[in-house]
Amino acid sequence: MSPVPKPHESVEPLVASLPTPADLPDYARKTLEAIAPGFKLTDDRLREITHSFLHDFELGLSKYGEPMAMIPTYVTGVPNGKETGTFLALDLGGTNLRVCEVKLLGNHKFELRQQKYKVSDTLKTGEAVALFNYMADSVDAFLTERASIDPNQQNEDLLLGFTFSFPVEQTALARGELLTWTKGFSAKNAVGHDVGQLLQDAFDRRHMHVKCVAIVNDTVGTLMTRAYTGGDCLLGSIFGTGTNGAYVEDISRIPKLAGHPAVANGGKMVINCEWGAFNNTAGLRTVLPSTPFDNKLDRESINVRKQAFEKFISGMYQGEILRNILLTLVDHQPPILFKGESSATLNKHYGLDTAVMSDVENAQTLADVRTAVSAGLGLPLESVSDLDAWIVRWAAEMVATRAAKLSGAAVAAILVQTRHARLQGYGDPAEPIKTPGVMHVGVDGSMVEFYPHFEERLRSALRALVGEEAEKATKIGMAKDGSGVGAALCALQAMKQLTA
Ligand code: ADP
Ligand code: MG
């Protein structure tokens, strides 16, 4: 069996750097070499992107209505691991709905009972009331079947944190209007409405003794969970169906909150960046490396010109970018892939799951790549030659490397924004930077959890942007169950802030 070439450091040389199969025809090589530069991210380009990120941060912190919303969460404290109590959490994130009961044990540890419920496309795209009724029914079913506490045996309502991972402009911990749907949701009569109230109304219609006291973005949950389990945490970020980050900002640096009673005493507040929307308005002047494959994805998406950054990075989109590349190669005359044969998976919009790319990149030998390609694309094994397998691997690696490097630019932007690292050409070089021994970044999502080389590729961009010392000091740790535990921690924070 021929070994698969190791992933190369940069997308730059691509075809040239890999031991190119001897039987790659000249016309195919030329086509691949024409595609590759579009995915290239030089260090200069990455720096330009990070500068642009910081610029969008500043805009979002100073004004409402900016594409990168920089949403104040009204969470003014992060946990230290000593917190106790039992709370409910409901997590609507993208692919699944989860209901959890979280028991905080007060020693950085917790116990979690949970149940997942499927969210059908009908619910995602139907009436909002039906979606929120379904969520209330799921909590009800959970309380009957799985929970250790019985709300009917309690004097007080059970407190619930609602992890709702869409852009919500919050006005209080439990209040906030949905700005826009993302990640394939489009339920009607939700945008512009208070999602905390929509959920509470659904509970109340069922006379349930449950009170929603916090709306929590999954990034905030990830940040809170990491702080609870591991101490200090600088950034909570998600690389799953979508991508986003939340970090702790000085209230003095959030001009749009000036005069708000909630910030009269200064201090800090967690900001939900909604960085998936980075570069939305740049249009043709985009600093992001858009290729025809990205443009096709965007045009055919339900949110054209929105979530520009997310469309390069997250699990929902990477498979689709790859599908667009592969189809171009299938349809090329003469065919470059599969002798021009396609498959139901390849022909279907969003038919190619990013998990298939994971499998293709995880394969250790070319024979294993062939198997992964055949299984993932739904093509008979005999239709996938060694050369086909190599080309799919090449394309997957190119898409995923670009995604991970762009993710590194987002992390770098937060390090610079919080004065933990310097970026060439940005800010006052005389201003001191904080240099803690370790900078903790809590992460969650299938991309970081399962995608091979994701962290290593992200780090290569981080190193290029903020230098080796800062990169080495950055500890990236999974905040497993972040959305559940984080919602419980926000419910507790709400209780503290209410009784303060
Ligand atoms: P969510 O963001 O909805 O909470 P996940 O973090 O599990 O959920 O991310 C789901 C996304 O990750 C989907 O878009 C799916 O295609 C993708 N995905 C699932 N498994 C893998 C995998 N093994 N490798 C890469 N991507 C995956
Ligand atoms: Mg999630």
Side-chain angles (χ1 to χ4, degrees):
M1 284 191 286
S2 38
V4 167
K6 282 181 82 75
H8 38 70
E9 272 297 288
S10 129
V11 288
E12 216 168 341
L14 268 181
V15 180
S17 82
L18 291 170
T20 309
D23 56 344
L24 182 69
D26 219 35
Y27 68 86
R29 172 198 295 272
K30 284 212 174 78
T31 305
L32 303 194
E33 282 177 349
I35 292 173
F39 285 84
K40 187 166 94 174
L41 281 170
T42 60
D43 291 353
D44 281 346
R45 185 66 171 269
L46 277 171
R47 206 172 296 116
E48 194 189 341
I49 289 166
T50 312
H51 273 268
S52 192
F53 236 106
L54 287 155
H55 177 73
D56 276 13
F57 282 171
E58 207 176 307
L59 276 182
L61 288 171
S62 49
K63 285 202 292 223
Y64 287 94
E66 291 297 321
M68 197 171 335
M70 305 302 278
I71 297 171
T73 60
Y74 297 87
V75 174
T76 52
V78 290
N80 60 17
K82 300 207 171 83
E83 294 77 6
T84 55
T86 301
F87 300 89
L88 291 178
L90 176 66
D91 172 15
L92 183 72
T95 308
N96 286 303
L97 174 71
R98 263 194 329 150
V99 186
C100 319
E101 179 190 286
V102 184
K103 194 167 176 188
L104 302 171
L105 302 175
N107 54 354
H108 302 280
K109 296 203 163 55
F110 57 84
E111 285 169 10
L112 185 103
R113 289 170 181 235
Q114 63 166 323
Q115 184 71 50
K116 285 187 181 180
Y117 302 87
K118 185 101 194 106
V119 185
S120 67
D121 285 340
T122 315
L123 284 169
K124 286 183 189 172
T125 56
E127 279 294 330
V129 170
L131 177 63
F132 282 83
N133 279 344
Y134 179 76
M135 288 195 267
D137 288 338
S138 302
V139 174
D140 208 16
F142 176 84
L143 287 171
T144 316
E145 291 155 20
R146 293 280 292 131
S148 72
I149 34 173
D150 178 355
N152 297 316
Q153 303 291 315
Q154 315 260 325
N155 294 327
E156 301 194 350
D157 285 349
L158 285 175
L159 301 187
L160 175 141
F162 178 26
T163 301
F164 184 74
S165 305
F166 302 93
V168 169
E169 193 68 78
Q170 284 185 249
T171 49
L173 243 168
R175 289 284 155 264
E177 275 183 15
L178 177 61
L179 293 174
T180 173
W181 284 116
T182 56
K183 298 180 282 190
F185 278 69
S186 63
K188 292 176 250 328
N189 296 312
V191 171
H193 290 75
D194 182 338
V195 291
Q197 193 64 55
L198 285 173
L199 181 63
Q200 191 61 52
D201 289 347
F203 289 146
D204 293 347
R205 278 194 289 276
R206 282 154 181 70
H207 308 289
M208 292 164 61
H209 298 286
V210 176
K211 190 161 182 234
C212 172
V213 289
I215 302 169
V216 186
N217 190 269
D218 53 357
T219 55
V220 180
T222 300
L223 176 75
M224 299 290 271
T225 303
R226 188 74 201 167
Y228 178 82
T229 57
D232 252 0
C233 186
L234 210 73
L235 164 68
S237 51
I238 301 288
F239 302 99
T241 305
T243 181
N244 189 12
Y247 73 104
V248 185
E249 184 59 283
D250 294 333
I251 281 173
S252 63
R253 296 179 62 200
I254 317 175
K256 69 181 176 184
L257 274 185
H260 195 292
V263 301
N265 299 324
K268 294 183 182 286
M269 187 180 285
V270 176
I271 294 288
N272 161 20
C273 300
E274 288 299 337
W275 74 34
F278 166 56
N279 214 227
N280 270 9
T281 50
L284 296 174
R285 286 180 18 259
T286 178
V287 296
L288 294 173
S290 282
T291 67
F293 312 104
D294 299 293
N295 294 337
K296 182 168 188 298
L297 177 148
D298 187 44
R299 279 192 199 104
E300 294 171 355
S301 69
I302 61 169
N303 53 351
V304 180
R305 288 274 167 99
K306 298 272 171 63
Q307 296 300 96
F309 188 62
E310 182 162 276
K311 283 174 179 155
F312 285 81
I313 289 186
S314 71
M316 175 158 177
Y317 302 108
Q318 282 193 56
E320 180 67 3
I321 301 169
L322 179 66
R323 190 181 76 91
N324 288 341
I325 300 174
L326 300 187
L327 282 178
T328 298
L329 301 177
V330 166
D331 291 342
H332 190 275
Q333 278 308 329
I336 293 174
L337 269 182
F338 314 129
K339 296 198 174 73
E341 186 186 343
S342 191
S343 70
T345 303
L346 267 178
N347 291 340
K348 187 165 176 253
H349 198 199
Y350 292 104
L352 207 175
D353 198 300
T354 303
V356 173
M357 293 171 58
S358 252
D359 294 342
V360 166
E361 283 219 67
N362 257 327
Q364 295 299 310
T365 64
L366 203 51
D368 291 346
V369 177
R370 268 186 75 207
T371 310
V373 169
S374 156
L377 303 188
L379 280 162
L381 192 57
E382 55 276 19
S383 298
V384 183
S385 68
D386 275 359
L387 183 58
D388 290 330
W390 181 87
I391 292 173
V392 175
R393 168 74 167 240
W394 164 82
E397 190 178 308
M398 185 169 68
V399 172
T401 302
R402 185 184 66 163
K405 285 189 156 196
L406 288 173
S407 305
V411 174
I414 294 291
L415 296 183
V416 175
Q417 174 69 19
T418 55
R419 308 295 192 262
H420 284 90
R422 260 190 241 288
L423 177 70
Q424 194 187 313
Y426 185 85
D428 177 0
E431 191 183 354
I433 55 163
K434 304 165 201 160
T435 48
V438 188
M439 304 186 281
H440 289 283
V441 173
V443 292
D444 195 9
S446 285
M447 297 309 308
V448 293
E449 190 174 2
F450 303 120
Y451 205 101
H453 313 297
F454 181 85
E455 181 172 337
E456 152 197 336
R457 291 165 177 170
L458 182 154
R459 281 183 179 281
S460 80
L462 201 55
R463 221 167 19 248
L465 288 164
V466 296
E468 192 167 337
E469 204 180 326
E471 181 266 313
K472 284 228 162 76
T474 306
K475 280 268 169 308
I476 300 176
M478 283 294 293
K480 282 293 279 174
D481 303 313
S483 46
V485 180
L489 288 161
C490 287
L492 178 121
Q493 184 70 30
M495 199 172 72
K496 273 196 202 161
Q497 288 178 210
L498 284 172
T499 53

